Amino acid sequence: MSRPLVARIDTAALAHNLGLARRLAGPARILAVVKANGYGHGLLRVARALRAADGFAVLTLGEAETLRADGFSHPIVLLEGFFHPDELPAIAHWRLQPVIHREDQAEILARARLDHRVDVFVKVDTGMHRLGLHPKRLQEVVARLQEAESVGSVTLMTHFASADEAEVGVDEQMQAFRKASEGLELPASLANSAALMRYPETQGDWVRPGIMLYGASPFANQTGAGLGLLPAMTLESRVIAQRPLRKGEAVGYGGSFVAAKDMRIGIVACGYADGYPRHAGTGTPVLVEGQHTRTLGRVSMDMLCIDLTPIPNAHVGSLVTLWGEGLPVEEVAASAGTIAYELLTAIAPRVRIEET
Ligand SMILES: *Cc1c(COP(=O)(O)O)cnc(C)c1O
């Protein structure tokens, strides 16, 4: 048998989560965000499972071309637009919709001679201060784009910095957006997963859910399961060795875990080179044959160590769930001082992926 580590992708869960996004979105159309290899789940696998979405959002031209080559005719948005003008002919050819977030991009596109008009999303910075036009410049840049022969439709867009934090929320950014776009009768795209789930007023014409489609929560204090989502990825492996650890003995690099009493430990085929977070300290939750236990000591490149003391019937070959069904990825992320997004997107290419 080969190395037992596998990421199981539940395509029905992806479809279920899209259904929840659909109910929350009301009449708004859904741009399913499938960047970062479908948040680590596999771009084409995810896109096929989310075929009922109204469009897809990706980062790179390469991802968009992969979708077109597989036959997807949906609108496809490039979330950071074009990185170089030499991408414009392909963007026009493949009917992709770049986000225009800098004035010079607008100018370059407006002057370009292309085979087809390019539909664009124009991003305005309403307070995140990362990408986007200054609100005061929005109207002039939109006018410039609308008069250009190379440009088709214009959709306005902004991104929230704190839709997942109730104390901050979206109010200030919503106000800034309304002010910047006053008088422009154009469709708008505002909401990420957190805004879609918590702030119906951000609905607009296109919503952009990402993390929720994969079954994880955008909120720190809630799991996806608590929000009615189903985990799309379950990372599973098996116990490949077991041994007693006597009181006073240490396990793993640096001997950072020392047994306070006699124990039994298991070694699991999964390490940080697979994308399991090295910062997950002793006590990170894992399941063995569905029963809760914890990691011990430092995560190695290819292995980690778990406590089998509370699971006397565990043996070499026992199934270990690192996250997913029965163990929210958010809990593992919290133990490692990070978020579900990082764990899911960090799954390494060497991890075998199986669809269920
Ligand atoms: C990644 C991304 C999203 C999706 O965000 P989630 O929090 O995963 O829902 C939406 N909009 C933009 C601009 C993004 O870059």
Side-chain angles (χ1 to χ4, degrees), residues 33 35 39 79 123 130 157 159 192-194 208-212 218 341:
V33 180
K35 62 189 176 187
Y39 284 48
L79 287 169
K123 189 169 194 176
R130 195 177 57 177
M157 168 181 171
H159 193 53
N192 55 6
S193 297
R208 306 189 305 271
I211 194 74
M212 69 174 289
Y341 296 76

Side-chain angles (χ1 to χ4, degrees), residues 54-344:
D54 303 294
F56 294 108
V58 297
L59 200 67
T60 66
L61 189 53
E63 292 167 316
E65 286 174 345
T66 298
L67 291 176
R68 285 283 183 259
D70 202 60
F72 288 96
S73 56
H74 300 61
I76 298 179
V77 174
L78 297 172
L79 287 169
E80 292 179 7
F82 56 95
F83 297 94
H84 192 275
D86 67 9
E87 293 180 303
L88 282 172
I91 286 173
H93 173 77
W94 292 111
R95 304 283 209 279
L96 309 179
Q97 306 190 23
V99 170
I100 302 297
H101 61 85
R102 290 195 322 256
E103 281 196 44
D104 68 296
Q105 288 179 318
E107 198 51 41
I108 289 164
L109 174 60
R111 288 182 193 191
R113 300 169 118 260
L114 301 168
D115 291 344
H116 311 282
R117 286 179 181 267
V118 171
D119 295 336
V120 296
F121 279 59
V122 178
K123 189 169 194 176
V124 55
D125 172 22
T126 55
M128 185 161 183
H129 304 316
R130 195 177 57 177
L131 292 186
L133 304 172
H134 192 282
K136 291 206 170 102
R137 299 290 304 147
L138 178 66
Q139 305 245 351
E140 197 180 314
V141 174
V142 166
R144 173 77 179 106
L145 287 166
Q146 285 178 320
E147 73 182 16
E149 266 180 36
S150 52
V151 177
S153 71
V154 174
T155 300
L156 304 179
M157 168 181 171
T158 198
H159 193 53
F160 297 117
S162 305
D164 58 326
E165 288 168 46
E167 320 81 68
V168 187
V170 298
D171 286 356
E172 273 191 34
Q173 287 193 254
M174 282 299 283
Q175 252 177 23
F177 183 79
R178 282 195 203 99
K179 190 165 168 225
S181 59
E182 207 173 354
L184 293 175
E185 298 281 322
L186 292 173
S189 175
L190 314 169
N192 55 6
S193 297
L196 176 59
M197 301 193 100
R198 195 172 271 170
Y199 301 105
E201 70 270 28
T202 64
Q203 202 171 71
D205 300 275
W206 285 97
V207 295
R208 306 189 305 271
I211 194 74
M212 69 174 289
L213 299 176
Y214 307 95
S217 164
F219 308 113
N221 57 352
Q222 263 172 308
T223 61
L227 295 163
L229 299 167
L230 299 175
M233 180 195 294
T234 297
L235 186 64
E236 282 176 3
S237 190
R238 292 190 183 265
V239 174
I240 59 166
Q242 57 148 343
R243 68 188 61 254
L245 194 68
R246 301 285 171 220
K247 181 179 173 181
E249 288 180 335
V251 64
Y253 286 114
S256 69
F257 177 81
V258 180
K261 54 179 174 43
D262 287 356
M263 318 173 57
R264 199 162 64 95
I265 64 171
I267 310 301
V268 180
C270 180
Y272 62 77
D274 300 302
Y276 194 90
R278 187 176 171 278
H279 293 289
T282 293
T284 301
V286 296
L287 303 181
V288 177
E289 300 289 0
Q291 298 172 73
H292 280 264
T293 184
R294 56 180 182 142
T295 65
L296 301 174
R298 284 195 200 143
V299 174
S300 311
M301 186 182 291
D302 314 311
M303 286 173 266
L304 53 80
C305 182
I306 60 174
D307 188 358
L308 294 182
T309 318
I311 310 173
N313 56 346
H315 49 84
V316 168
S318 285
L319 184 68
V320 178
T321 303
L322 284 322
W323 65 65
E325 239 185 285
L327 179 57
V329 63
E330 295 93 328
E331 284 182 20
V332 179
S335 275
T338 185
I339 54 178
Y341 296 76
E342 190 179 10
L343 298 196
L344 296 176

